[in-house]
Amino acid sequence: MKNPFLHFSFWVPAFFFIIHQILQKLIGVEIPLVDFYIDPFCFSALTMPLYVWERKILFHQSGISKLEMLVLLTFLILFSELVLPYFSSQFVADLLDVLMILLGGVWFYCFCPSRKVEK
């Protein structure tokens, strides 16, 4: 299995997430559409390869089934859109966030070489 952390499918979302955080938190640059929607995309695009890596390290399993992908994406959506807004007013449930989380899952499915999605 190739190292998912050395592939562009991991580094592109990681790069955009880090740059966005630097611009927003350290420099104070606000770009509303990017501020609202890049983090949910990166959240799922980075969580999926981390999940595959965790399965390989802890359980010696390679690959992830489509059902596991859907369950993980559903969990990420429910956590970020229901649980977090309940505990903090800094988080807001938004249908476009759900779309961006799903797009992060599509990014993973299409580009991550270590995904080996099983049927």
Side-chain angles (χ1 to χ4, degrees), residues 73-107:
L73 285 171
T74 301
F75 174 79
L76 294 176
I77 289 167
L78 292 175
F79 181 75
S80 66
E81 300 305 308
L82 295 178
V83 175
L84 291 178
Y86 179 77
F87 288 106
S88 174
S89 61
Q90 292 182 336
F91 296 96
V92 177
D94 184 2
L95 192 57
L96 289 176
D97 285 347
V98 171
L99 177 63
M100 295 308 290
I101 291 170
L102 291 173
L103 284 175
V106 169
W107 171 270

Side-chain angles (χ1 to χ4, degrees), residues 51-61 63-64 68:
Y51 176 72
V52 171
W53 176 75
E54 180 246 359
R55 285 174 44 100
K56 179 177 177 14
I57 297 300
L58 295 180
F59 304 109
H60 306 289
Q61 298 175 346
I64 179 174
E68 286 175 305

Side-chain angles (χ1 to χ4, degrees), residues 11-52:
W11 279 108
V12 168
F15 173 79
F16 280 114
F17 179 77
I18 291 167
I19 293 299
H20 173 251
Q21 293 303 306
I22 290 170
L23 287 173
Q24 185 181 35
K25 308 288 186 199
L26 297 178
I27 300 174
V29 174
E30 294 185 17
I31 307 168
L33 282 176
V34 174
D35 292 344
F36 296 143
Y37 301 116
I38 195 72
D39 289 343
F41 171 81
C42 294
F43 178 49
S44 60
L46 296 173
T47 301
M48 302 292 276
L50 289 170
Y51 176 72
V52 171

